[in-house]
Amino acid sequence: MSSHGKYSLWLCPAVGSSAQTQLSEIITGKAAALGAPVFSPHTTLFSPVHASSDSDALAQVREYVAKLGVELGKDTLRAGIPFRANKVATGGKYHQCVLLEEQGNAVLVLANGIARQHWNARGQPAFYPHVSLVYGDFEGPMREEIAAEISSNLPEDIEQLSFFAPQINVVRTTGPCEAWRDIGTIRLSK
């Protein structure tokens, strides 16, 4: 059905959770105000996964999750992979314009390392766990202004934006972000 494509592994807050609701409101509100794209709140665990079809991508991710269960332990995965919100920051890339940095927890970092080994990924940039809040090519001062505005409107306890992802969303990320689509989810524990 699909031609050769690029896929990404996303960790998302549970639909309807406080973190998902608040992050979605930030993303959609800023997208409307700035003319930026709207996307689902997520942290990219790993990308790219190259596959000949959606079903091939899902099969590859199932193999990875089985390996993850062996290497991290099924008990560790039962709760989900954690994302611990740290602070709002700016980045130098379109997809990292304004973001919410992660505190740097071992489970998330190990899961990325296992993915890099599984897909034999060499020469990739260092893993930078975050949830993007705004995509765009805004200049540095504008990025800082957007980040400051978001920061001033965050809950006092930023931990409210933390979450445990119980599954991996497999997203076809070929082409512009408006064309991206979630092709399925793979649960981390059964």
Side-chain angles (χ1 to χ4, degrees):
M1 179 175 153
S2 299
S3 61
H4 183 76
K6 182 182 110 171
Y7 298 82
S8 298
L9 280 54
W10 286 8
L11 301 176
C12 302
V15 174
S17 68
S18 176
Q20 190 265 342
T21 300
Q22 291 180 70
L23 290 168
S24 290
E25 287 173 359
I26 293 167
I27 293 165
T28 57
K30 284 297 164 197
L34 300 167
V38 175
F39 50 91
S40 298
H42 67 279
T43 188
T44 302
L45 175 61
F46 180 78
S47 184
V49 171
H50 294 285
S52 59
S53 66
D54 292 352
S55 60
D56 177 36
L58 290 168
Q60 288 185 48
V61 176
R62 280 188 201 93
E63 288 175 14
Y64 162 70
V65 168
K67 187 176 196 176
L68 202 59
V70 169
E71 297 204 22
L72 290 181
K74 293 190 187 293
D75 287 342
T76 300
L77 294 182
R78 193 165 288 122
I81 296 177
F83 177 89
R84 295 194 171 91
N86 186 27
K87 66 179 181 175
V88 175
T90 60
K93 299 177 183 175
Y94 180 87
H95 294 108
Q96 295 177 359
C97 180
V98 178
L99 51 92
L100 181 62
E101 287 185 334
E102 205 275 339
Q103 291 179 13
N105 73 78
V107 174
L108 181 56
V109 172
L110 286 169
N112 172 266
I114 294 165
R116 286 172 183 251
Q117 289 174 348
H118 182 76
W119 279 284
N120 199 23
R122 294 192 181 114
Q124 282 196 329
F127 183 48
Y128 180 39
H130 66 278
V131 170
S132 289
L133 302 173
V134 176
Y135 287 170
D137 286 323
F138 302 103
E139 295 296 322
M142 180 67 168
R143 288 176 192 239
E144 294 297 333
E145 185 180 316
I146 296 164
E149 184 181 330
I150 290 172
S151 290
S152 70
N153 291 311
L154 287 181
E156 210 171 289
D157 179 11
I158 200 166
E159 279 290 316
Q160 292 179 33
L161 301 177
S162 297
F163 59 89
F164 283 84
Q167 62 194 23
I168 294 175
N169 292 53
V170 183
V171 181
R172 184 176 172 88
T173 50
T174 302
C177 58
E178 295 82 8
W180 296 352
R181 64 184 174 82
D182 192 323
I183 63 153
T185 58
I186 308 296
R187 294 212 43 88
L188 293 170
S189 68
K190 295 181 177 151

